[in-house]
Amino acid sequence: MGLQQLALGFGPGQASVVVSSRRSAVGDWGNFSTRPQQQQRAWRRRTGDSRVGQCRCLAGGPGVGAAAGVVEIVEKLNALVLGVGVGLPCQVMDCGDVVYRSTLPKQGLIITAPGVFLAVLIATYLWAQPGVAPGFWDMFVLAKLERIIRPSYKKEDFALGKKLGEGAFGTVYKASLVKNKGGKSESELVVKKANEYGAVEVWMNERVRRACSSSCADFIHGFRETLNKGKGEEFWLVWRYEGDATLDDLMKDKNFPYNVEEMIYGDVNELPKGPERENRIIRTMMRQIMSSLKNLHAIGIIHRDIKPQNIIFSQEAKTFKIIDLGAAADLRVGINYVPKEFLLDPRYAAPEQYIMSTQTPSAPPPPVAAALSPVLWQMNVPDRFDVYSAGLIFLQMVFPNLRTDSPLIQFNRQLKRCDYDLVAWRELTEPRGNADIRRGFEILDLDEGVGWELLQAMVRFKGRQRISAQQALDHPYFIRDGLLGTTLLQKLRLQLIRASFQDRGEAFAWVQNLMAKSGTKSVGGFTEAELQKMKEKEPKPKDTLQRNALASALRLQRKVARTVAETVVEPANKRNWWNRWESKES
Ligand SMILES: Nc1ncnc2c1ncn2[C@@H]1O[C@H](COP(=O)(O)OP(=O)(O)OP(=O)(O)O)[C@@H](O)[C@H]1O
């Protein structure tokens, strides 16, 4: 409504009406201006005529000279600024021409309900995940400031030491600074010499450093080096050395999770070894991992390679941090997002394989990607990909037999055969499981099974049915004292989470179970026979209204995907706009 009103206010039709009405009033105003202010006010009170003032402001002052034209344009711009979503220009601007304005009542910015609604709607969209507005601030202000403030390095500043690892994207070394530049002593460093994907990793690490530095290894600097004899170029990425152990190293220890206890709490618990104590340690580790994931997702970054090898224990922060952002995708602006690209580690990848629907085309140009990112995010919920991987890590922490590769691969096959139904997998595994398996289920079943609940919500076939990292952190599993220490309100919340993440079939079974439990002689409720009858009833086909809504949603999704595809104009030279080294040279 507000926008429509604005359009009307400045439309040509409106302008001509305004000019003619002004002419009729010019005479009055001409004489009027020579009168004392007191008389002017009295006259205005008597006539109650605000129309004259309005007309003047839209049509310009007396005379149709160039200056008046300029004043008119300025006034219109002013009105536009004041009037965004707030109402008619004449309602929101100071009326009357320059000479008489001071005598008119001051109006200022008038806030109207539709205006507020529109403003809230726009702000909600701009701040919705993955955050278009914070993204612009980060990219155009913070990134530039950071580049000025932070010290920069070159190859000669580092002395490379022991090789720490070698992967598809490069080689990682322990290193030290030849000459310290920063204020803080950076004695132990890690340097990754990476191939062309290094540019993406620099981008992701810089984003993370600005927005949520505690979630990932502390990134110091990234730069490009040209290799000798025309051998091309490589990217150097430098981090602070966080520690010797990844989660994978720690999990391979027979004493896991007790070997982590002192590292994260600073002391050893006096409780005897057993499920409760293990549960406490695992819960703390999972909370740290899920918090880091939540922070990454909040800024639109999907890691895509969450696994114990990429989670490192920071000795300084006494917490687990995420490393290796080489495969990550920034969905705010579509960097490194290629829907059909297959970069995944099959041991930890979610069944959907892709973070976005394969019907969603490759990333459009950044402004389009940024503008559409909240819509695409809601449509694809790409963050759930990482949540699935984290769910598998949770399983590995709980079940010692899944901590090595081949049993994990076997588990994945079993789960697939069970249609990704963890309950079916449990029914298959538990009866013939060894002591380790039984112990694992015992841990998950503690506190009325909140751990088992959370695991089921994380490891689901459909991304949309999976819990998000933020929701997982709100799950009662992470409430410090377990469910026994929770309030009635928290217990209710658990029921709500259960209901919202359960399939209809499961929810139905759950309600039935509840009803059966209450169906005693004293309490009443349904009898077993009645429940059996309900069970046997054929499931009702989805009613047409529901079907139509679903079909419309799908149609809309495809339409948006098509529109994006049509908007994509591939840059002729395929340059990466975000790669500052590239743009500098070309
Ligand atoms: N900040 C750090 N502090 C301490 N060690 C680190 C740090 N970053 C990386 N490492 C070590 O280097 C190893 C390799 O790092 P990273 O996973 O980033 O490299 P990569 O080349 O991508 O390897 P891959 O392809 O196998 O994942 C890690 O497993 C870890 O042991």
Side-chain angles (χ1 to χ4, degrees):
M1 184 182 161
L3 284 176
Q4 227 176 350
Q5 286 170 332
L6 273 177
L8 273 175
F10 294 113
Q14 178 89 354
S16 62
V17 172
V18 159
V19 170
S20 61
S21 62
R22 183 193 141 261
R23 273 194 204 117
S24 66
V26 150
D28 289 349
W29 273 99
N31 299 333
F32 185 70
S33 64
T34 58
R35 305 198 174 184
Q37 277 198 5
Q38 226 177 352
Q39 282 184 24
Q40 287 178 25
R41 259 187 248 118
W43 183 86
R44 218 179 283 110
R45 259 203 308 277
R46 228 176 25 249
T47 58
D49 187 5
S50 61
R51 184 176 55 96
V52 180
Q54 288 172 8
C55 298
R56 288 200 159 227
C57 84
L58 282 173
V64 202
V70 173
V71 168
E72 190 180 352
I73 290 166
V74 171
E75 296 234 337
K76 277 184 179 176
L77 281 176
N78 184 35
L80 188 64
V81 173
L82 284 173
V84 172
V86 177
L88 277 166
C90 289
Q91 283 179 305
V92 296
M93 66 198 293
D94 286 327
C95 293
D97 62 27
V98 178
V99 176
Y100 307 113
R101 185 173 298 156
S102 60
T103 65
L104 291 169
K106 271 261 162 265
Q107 284 197 312
L109 182 72
I110 293 177
I111 295 163
T112 62
V116 171
F117 178 72
L118 197 66
V120 169
L121 209 68
I122 292 170
T124 310
Y125 185 80
L126 291 179
W127 264 267
Q129 216 167 10
V132 179
F136 272 81
W137 170 254
D138 176 73
M139 202 153 84
F140 296 112
V141 182
L142 297 185
K144 290 194 169 24
L145 270 178
E146 197 186 45
R147 228 161 278 157
I148 298 167
I149 296 166
R150 289 188 73 91
S152 59
Y153 299 88
K154 52 189 187 310
K155 190 176 163 180
E156 291 72 32
D157 294 329
F158 302 98
L160 298 188
K162 186 181 142 201
K163 194 194 261 189
L164 291 174
E166 193 163 5
F169 299 124
T171 313
V172 183
Y173 301 90
K174 205 167 174 181
S176 57
L177 265 181
V178 176
K179 209 166 64 190
N180 200 12
K181 283 191 185 180
K184 202 172 169 185
S185 154
E186 280 143 7
S187 51
E188 284 195 300
L189 302 171
V190 169
V191 168
K192 185 190 266 189
K193 288 205 254 174
N195 58 20
E196 75 269 24
Y197 282 100
V200 174
E201 204 172 346
V202 176
W203 168 274
M204 302 294 167
N205 274 283
E206 286 185 347
R207 285 273 326 271
V208 167
R209 183 176 61 195
R210 290 192 295 273
C212 51
S213 56
S214 60
S215 305
C216 295
D218 196 355
F219 184 64
I220 292 174
H221 191 57
F223 54 93
R224 192 173 62 168
E225 277 296 321
T226 311
L227 298 172
N228 291 336
K229 297 176 191 163
K231 280 185 187 162
E233 55 194 24
E234 64 188 5
F235 290 89
W236 284 49
L237 292 96
V238 186
W239 293 267
R240 188 163 289 125
Y241 185 78
E242 297 285 357
D244 302 327
T246 62
L247 180 59
D248 186 53
D249 302 327
L250 293 165
M251 281 208 306
K252 284 198 173 123
D253 188 317
K254 277 211 156 50
N255 201 25
F256 184 86
Y258 301 107
N259 58 342
V260 183
E261 195 171 38
E262 199 173 349
M263 294 163 72
I264 49 179
Y265 300 120
D267 57 4
V268 176
N269 199 300
E270 279 164 17
L271 270 175
K273 281 189 175 179
E276 274 91 8
R277 195 165 143 196
E278 286 184 29
N279 187 39
R280 177 174 172 257
I281 307 167
I282 292 172
R283 191 169 52 211
T284 306
M285 287 189 281
M286 279 306 294
R287 187 190 287 120
Q288 293 177 356
I289 296 169
M290 296 313 285
S291 300
S292 298
L293 275 186
K294 179 203 83 181
N295 293 339
L296 282 186
H297 296 164
I299 58 166
I301 291 180
I302 312 298
H303 188 280
R304 297 202 287 191
D305 200 14
I306 290 294
K307 53 185 178 185
Q309 292 84 343
N310 284 339
I311 296 170
I312 198 157
F313 184 76
S314 166
Q315 283 164 348
E316 197 187 316
K318 301 233 173 300
T319 175
F320 284 93
K321 290 183 172 186
I322 291 172
I323 56 170
D324 196 1
L325 296 167
D330 182 344
L331 295 187
R332 256 184 199 166
V333 279
I335 292 175
N336 215 17
Y337 153 55
V338 185
K340 286 181 186 157
E341 197 170 29
F342 197 87
L343 282 165
L344 322 162
D345 185 328
R347 291 169 302 172
Y348 295 90
E352 64 264 26
Q353 307 281 330
Y354 313 112
I355 53 169
M356 297 294 239
S357 151
T358 45
Q359 289 189 6
T360 313
S362 300
V368 182
L372 285 176
S373 60
V375 178
L376 290 177
W377 187 283
Q378 290 311 319
M379 272 166 39
N380 294 288
V381 283
D383 54 323
R384 309 305 205 273
F385 187 92
D386 288 343
V387 171
Y388 185 93
S389 312
L392 292 191
I393 295 176
F394 188 16
L395 259 169
Q396 286 189 297
M397 286 184 183
V398 170
F399 295 103
N401 61 314
L402 295 183
R403 286 177 200 155
T404 46
D405 279 354
S406 55
L408 181 63
I409 293 167
Q410 209 183 332
F411 161 81
N412 280 327
R413 279 202 210 114
Q414 270 180 353
L415 192 63
K416 196 173 175 183
R417 258 184 262 128
C418 296
D419 285 333
Y420 294 90
D421 181 353
L422 270 179
V423 177
W425 171 78
R426 182 172 183 166
E427 277 163 11
L428 192 79
T429 327
E430 202 171 12
R432 50 194 170 110
N434 58 16
D436 277 351
I437 301 253
R438 283 198 300 277
R439 166 83 148 238
F441 284 119
E442 213 179 312
I443 294 174
L444 290 170
D445 286 343
L446 284 172
D447 300 330
E448 291 183 26
V450 273
W452 176 239
E453 291 274 350
L454 177 64
L455 183 70
Q456 285 183 85
M458 291 171 82
V459 182
R460 279 184 182 277
F461 178 71
K462 286 186 186 162
R464 189 161 287 285
Q465 283 178 0
R466 251 170 255 152
I467 201 165
S468 71
Q470 174 65 69
Q471 286 166 331
L473 286 167
D474 289 340
H475 192 277
Y477 174 71
F478 288 114
I479 294 164
R480 212 174 333 115
D481 300 313
L483 195 67
L484 295 176
T486 59
T487 61
L488 183 69
L489 208 71
Q490 285 162 340
K491 283 185 184 176
L492 277 175
R493 202 169 60 176
L494 171 64
Q495 303 302 349
L496 202 74
I497 291 174
R498 276 177 179 155
S500 59
F501 284 99
Q502 255 156 343
D503 277 339
R504 276 155 181 255
E506 280 176 48
F508 185 61
W510 179 66
V511 172
Q512 267 191 346
N513 195 21
L514 271 189
M515 288 193 297
K517 274 183 191 163
S518 66
T520 58
K521 265 183 192 163
S522 56
V523 182
F526 293 99
T527 62
E528 286 293 335
E530 281 168 330
L531 284 170
Q532 193 55 38
K533 238 184 189 174
M534 284 165 77
K535 238 186 213 172
E536 282 161 8
K537 262 190 187 170
E538 279 287 301
K540 260 173 71 181
K542 282 180 187 168
D543 59 47
T544 38
L545 193 73
Q546 198 183 348
R547 274 163 184 269
N548 288 346
L550 200 69
S552 309
L554 280 171
R555 263 201 305 277
L556 182 73
Q557 174 166 358
R558 269 184 226 127
K559 200 168 175 185
V560 172
R562 255 201 319 274
T563 314
V564 179
E566 282 158 13
T567 331
V568 175
V569 186
E570 285 281 329
N573 54 5
K574 289 236 173 196
R575 252 178 45 199
N576 291 328
W577 60 273
W578 49 270
N579 188 340
R580 63 175 191 272
W581 299 287
E582 222 170 328
S583 55
K584 234 185 223 174
E585 296 215 333
S586 40

